[in-house]
Amino acid sequence: MTIQVFGHKSPDTDSTGSPLIWAWYLSQQGTPAEARLLGEPNTEAAFMLTRWDLPKPQIISEVAEGAPVVIVDTNNPAELPEAINSADIQGIIDHHKLVGGLETAGPIDITIRPLACTATIMIDLMGDAAKDMPENLKGAALSCILSDTLEFRSPTTTAHDREVAEMLAKDLGIDMAAYAAELFAAKSDVSAFSDAELLRMDSKEYAVEGTKFRVSVLETTAPNIPLDRKDSLMETMKTVAAEDGVDQVLLFVVDILREEATLLVPNDLVKTLAAKSFGAEATGDTLVLPGVVSRKKQIIPNLKL
Amino acid sequence: MTIQVFGHKSPDTDSTGSPLIWAWYLSQQGTPAEARLLGEPNTEAAFMLTRWDLPKPQIISEVAEGAPVVIVDTNNPAELPEAINSADIQGIIDHHKLVGGLETAGPIDITIRPLACTATIMIDLMGDAAKDMPENLKGAALSCILSDTLEFRSPTTTAHDREVAEMLAKDLGIDMAAYAAELFAAKSDVSAFSDAELLRMDSKEYAVEGTKFRVSVLETTAPNIPLDRKDSLMETMKTVAAEDGVDQVLLFVVDILREEATLLVPNDLVKTLAAKSFGAEATGDTLVLPGVVSRKKQIIPNLKL
């Protein structure tokens, strides 16, 4: 039975590229496997698929009871199909904190590492076989690492992620900086999305002392595109919060090149949160946070109310 | 701050030896670490410590908030100190099914593999450094593998566990079969334990359709030692079940050399369970199950009511 390999809902580049890489590796090892997506890939991930002529994986929303699956780039049941624990989970490869909630029937292969990117872990796990990856999957791996590290600007970056990316770029014979710029331009091309889509695109729920937040991040090289729409985005936060059962949506527009985040401040709750979390006083309805680019390392761990 | 490395409560050989191995490795890598035990080691584990002149790790029952720890040979919060999720869990190395329940503040190193023994996984993770282990830790690693595989008789054994054990025995220049016999003789020396201690020594809780069992296994080369006490053991099951909040204690006396288990059958509940689970009719108060030696692979997955 073919193993389905997938990442998290609202797939970004790592959750689109890593399943393709691992499905290839499993198939090489004699275990038939195919990549799946739990939703439409974001614009950066879609660019990666086109640029490297990779097939867009089939989009699924459910998994059948007992179906063999490998989960990558998440270990959070909230980011996976509802019936995930009734599937036959055969492996987990991830680089996020352990959330708890996934269960398996027997012992399986689980590898979680504090690296910036799932693709980096996969290249380590493959050992020599990584060298045999077809060029388009090497391109996918490089895209995943550049995306997750924001071209090594994010504090989640490790020396090892960088080393692997440089090895891949050399192997592919491409100019890594030029390619990263193309990738980020694709990520920044969000004008086609509705406000609600933008607010949900790259977001994680997180509670601070009982108050539930949807913490959204928009990584971009063109912050003016979302910031020009800030009034409308702040208005839509109310609907999205109500629909998603959270108290407040937070939107951080991360300027990849300037390495700073702009937080939208629609009300006193967010103003208080910003002051307590980042020690910064919002005077208008936006607040610039210099140096802040990583939700995992700089935003979530600092949130206070 | 020194990292505390420990396995599960009621430590067996793997949960005693693996923390010593990993604490050594971490210290070698420049991260001060010490092994701990969550209770008195069983007789086999105690024999291993004496035979290889290893220091008995300090026994702890609690962990302080924020204390750095590495968990080995389990990922089950029920087998760990109550406040485990408030500790700073820095790593998990295990070979059991994912239970769910452990949580970490950030991404950490987690390695779970479907191998028979934690020590085997550690040797893989160490790579070349494994060759530098002092002789007594190589002895500990060999003990862990022989113990968890019942000298390769258990169906949990993989070719890789066997290969690693053979490499260690060769390296140590010892007769592996003779050493396994010594180890199992130590494990079988349970005459000093009370009935309640025997019933709790190597046991896991497991529910079948709402009925809660404490599934105890006694691996031994001298099954007559516990079986001669079966009347008294069956009487004590009632007290232990009541004290531990389960409906029934199950005791499987596993004869390592004959590769069979003898289940005590104190009442109709266990008789019914045995018939449905193993298709075997108990005529008296014991039931021999030929070929059954592994709780993980042969007992727990078959339990039905």
Side-chain angles (χ1 to χ4, degrees), chain A residues 67-199:
Chain A
V69 304
V70 169
I71 298 165
V72 304
D73 196 30
T74 181
N75 70 83
N76 186 348
E79 298 178 348
L80 291 162
E82 209 175 332
I84 191 67
N85 277 327
S86 73
D88 174 15
I89 305 173
Q90 301 207 338
I92 302 171
I93 304 171
D94 188 22
H95 64 118
H96 294 90
K97 68 178 182 173
L98 188 65
V99 173
L102 286 184
E103 294 167 25
T104 66
I108 63 163
D109 276 300
I110 301 178
T111 306
I112 302 183
R113 295 283 178 270
L115 294 169
C117 176
T118 308
T120 311
I121 305 170
M122 289 178 174
I123 286 175
D124 291 348
L125 288 173
M126 286 191 259
D128 286 341
K131 294 191 180 60
D132 302 331
M133 276 197 290
E135 197 162 88
N136 58 0
L137 290 178
K138 287 181 183 170
L142 176 62
S143 309
C144 294
I145 300 174
L146 290 171
S147 169
D148 268 6
T149 63
L150 300 174
E151 200 190 1
F152 320 124
R153 291 176 181 91
S154 169
T156 59
T157 309
T158 69
H160 188 55
D161 292 290
R162 189 170 197 137
E163 179 185 80
V164 170
E166 282 166 355
M167 184 264 293
L168 289 163
K170 200 178 153 197
D171 209 1
L172 289 164
I174 67 168
D175 177 336
M176 190 158 66
Y179 179 63
E182 283 183 72
L183 203 58
F184 298 153
K187 186 177 347 215
S188 306
D189 178 20
V190 293
S191 41
F193 294 99
S194 72
D195 291 333
E197 284 169 337
L198 280 187
L199 293 173

Side-chain angles (χ1 to χ4, degrees), chain B residues 51-303:
Chain B
R51 166 65 179 81
W52 296 99
D53 201 18
L54 287 159
K56 181 173 150 184
Q58 187 190 330
I59 296 178
I60 59 168
S61 55
E62 288 170 16
V63 285
E65 196 178 326
V69 304
V70 169
I71 298 166
V72 305
D73 196 30
T74 182
N75 69 81
N76 186 347
E79 299 178 345
L80 291 162
E82 208 174 334
I84 191 67
N85 277 328
S86 73
D88 173 16
I89 304 174
Q90 302 207 339
I92 302 172
I93 305 171
D94 188 22
H95 64 118
H96 294 91
K97 67 177 182 176
L98 189 64
V99 173
L102 286 185
E103 293 165 26
T104 66
I108 63 163
D109 276 301
I110 302 179
T111 306
I112 302 183
R113 295 285 178 268
L115 294 170
C117 176
T118 308
T120 311
I121 304 170
M122 290 179 173
I123 286 175
D124 291 349
L125 289 172
M126 285 191 259
D128 286 342
K131 293 189 181 63
D132 302 331
M133 276 196 290
E135 195 161 268
N136 58 0
L137 290 177
K138 288 182 180 169
L142 176 62
S143 309
C144 293
I145 301 175
L146 289 171
S147 170
D148 269 5
T149 63
L150 299 174
E151 199 189 2
F152 319 124
R153 292 175 180 92
S154 170
T156 58
T157 309
T158 69
H160 187 56
D161 292 292
R162 188 171 197 136
E163 182 184 79
V164 170
E166 282 166 355
M167 183 263 292
L168 289 164
K170 200 179 151 197
D171 209 2
L172 289 164
I174 68 167
D175 177 337
M176 190 160 65
Y179 179 62
E182 282 183 73
L183 203 58
F184 298 153
K187 186 179 343 218
S188 308
D189 179 20
V190 293
S191 42
F193 293 99
S194 71
D195 291 332
E197 284 169 337
L198 280 188
L199 293 173
R200 289 186 177 118
M201 190 172 293
D202 180 3
S203 69
K204 293 197 190 271
E205 288 190 17
Y206 187 76
V208 185
E209 305 203 7
T211 305
K212 282 193 251 177
F213 293 95
R214 183 180 264 282
V215 186
S216 288
V217 164
L218 273 182
E219 298 163 348
T220 178
T221 51
N224 61 303
I225 297 179
L227 290 176
D228 284 351
R229 287 161 61 175
K230 71 181 161 61
D231 292 342
S232 158
L233 282 164
M234 287 191 285
E235 194 53 38
T236 309
M237 282 179 178
K238 298 173 195 166
T239 336
V240 167
E243 283 178 12
D244 297 355
V246 299
D247 297 296
Q248 179 66 47
V249 176
L250 300 175
L251 178 61
F252 296 82
V253 177
V254 170
D255 185 331
I256 301 173
L257 303 179
R258 291 175 63 102
E259 298 187 32
E260 65 180 29
T262 301
L263 170 65
L264 299 198
V265 186
N267 55 35
D268 282 350
L269 174 68
V270 179
K271 192 173 174 173
T272 306
L273 178 97
K276 293 206 178 170
S277 307
F278 305 104
E281 199 64 38
T283 47
D285 55 11
T286 58
L287 175 63
V288 175
L289 301 165
V292 172
V293 297
S294 166
R295 175 172 48 209
K296 192 198 266 184
K297 288 261 185 185
Q298 298 170 308
I299 296 174
I300 294 278
N302 283 318
L303 290 187

